[in-house]
């Protein structure tokens, strides 16, 4: 399997980097296969490639890529947590899906991926809801330090801006 991964890795990266949309579904299926049981150091490089493809032209392929993203979180949690960029990329993609209009299915997958992130990394990174409940100061500090890759503003600024913008939706 490792030999096949090495042989196909460059091809998978080229397809995603060059936006060859016709082959995205197959690339994500291969990536899922190569990350189901373990995630090699070379395969960790593909997370950044997937993230860039998602931001450029793979938004509509989120449901195809979610199993690969799930594997990065679940199969090798130690390596996943070793770089905050990994966490930021997953959260950023889920946020984009949740704030866009991809339809119900991708949004459900984004919610499930965030749930897996919260459960798999429990005690190391906590879900926003649980932090808000038992340690709001910690949550605000964490959010203030966290930046979505595509924005120079901390998440707190984005969160409160959106919250105030939608405040009328919460009224009775």
């Amino acid at each position: 399997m490792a030999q096949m991964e090495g042989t196909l890795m460059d091809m998978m990266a080229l397809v995603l980097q060059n936006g060859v949309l016709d082959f995205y579904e197959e690339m994500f299926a291969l990536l899922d296969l190569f990350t189901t049981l373990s995630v090699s150091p070379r395969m960790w490089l593909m997370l950044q490639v997937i993230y860039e493809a998602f931001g450029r032209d793979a938004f509509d392929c989120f449901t195809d890529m979610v199993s690969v993203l799930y594997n990065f979180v679940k199969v090798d949690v130690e390596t996943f947590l070793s770089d905050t960029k990994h966490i930021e990329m997953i959260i950023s993609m889920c946020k984009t899906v949740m704030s866009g209009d991809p339809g119900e299915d991708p949004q459900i997958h984004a919610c499930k991926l965030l749930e897996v992130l919260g459960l798999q990394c429990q005690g190391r990174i906590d879900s926003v809801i649980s932090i808000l409940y038992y340690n709001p100061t910690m949550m605000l500090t964490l959010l203030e330090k966290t930046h979505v890759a595509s924005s120079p503003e901390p998440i707190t600024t984005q969160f409160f801006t959106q919250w105030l913008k939608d405040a009328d939706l919460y009224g009775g």
Side-chain angles (χ1 to χ4, degrees):
M1 188 67 114
Q3 186 178 6
M4 251 177 51
E5 175 187 307
T7 303
L8 295 174
M9 177 122 170
D10 293 335
M11 184 236 0
M12 292 184 293
L14 281 171
V15 167
L16 293 173
Q17 289 168 337
N18 292 312
V20 186
L21 295 170
D22 292 339
F23 295 109
Y24 274 19
E25 186 177 341
E26 290 80 6
M27 292 309 102
F28 293 127
L30 283 171
L31 287 165
D32 182 41
L33 176 71
F34 291 131
T35 58
T36 297
L37 300 176
S38 67
V39 183
S40 70
R42 286 189 67 196
M43 198 52 67
W44 277 104
L45 300 173
M46 289 301 293
L47 181 57
Q48 179 69 37
V49 174
I50 292 168
Y51 178 71
E52 290 168 3
F54 174 83
R56 187 185 57 251
D57 55 24
F59 175 82
D60 293 331
C61 300
F62 186 76
T63 55
D64 293 326
M65 73 175 69
V66 77
S67 61
V68 180
L69 300 175
Y70 171 85
N71 290 344
F72 279 116
V73 174
K74 182 123 172 106
V75 173
D76 190 359
V77 72
E78 297 303 322
T79 304
F80 178 75
L81 292 173
S82 71
D83 188 343
T84 57
K85 288 186 179 202
H86 297 155
I87 301 164
E88 291 172 10
M89 287 186 279
I90 297 293
I91 291 174
S92 175
M93 286 187 276
C94 289
K95 178 183 181 262
T96 301
V97 169
M98 295 303 293
S99 60
D101 189 23
E104 188 176 295
D105 203 36
Q107 289 177 333
I108 290 170
H109 284 292
C111 288
K112 287 180 181 180
L113 182 58
L114 289 172
E115 179 184 29
V116 167
L117 180 67
L119 293 173
Q120 192 67 28
C121 304
Q122 192 171 13
R124 300 199 235 174
I125 65 166
D126 292 308
S127 69
V128 172
I129 294 171
S130 63
I131 293 174
L132 180 60
Y133 178 72
Y134 76 83
N135 195 341
T137 305
M138 180 180 160
M139 184 196 83
L140 289 173
T141 302
L142 176 68
L143 291 176
E144 191 63 32
K145 292 178 181 178
T146 305
H147 296 265
V148 177
S150 62
S151 174
E153 297 177 326
I155 287 179
T156 49
T157 302
Q158 297 171 22
F159 172 79
F160 286 115
T161 301
Q162 188 67 43
W163 186 24
L164 292 172
K165 180 179 165 187
D166 294 338
D168 61 319
L169 299 174
Y170 302 111

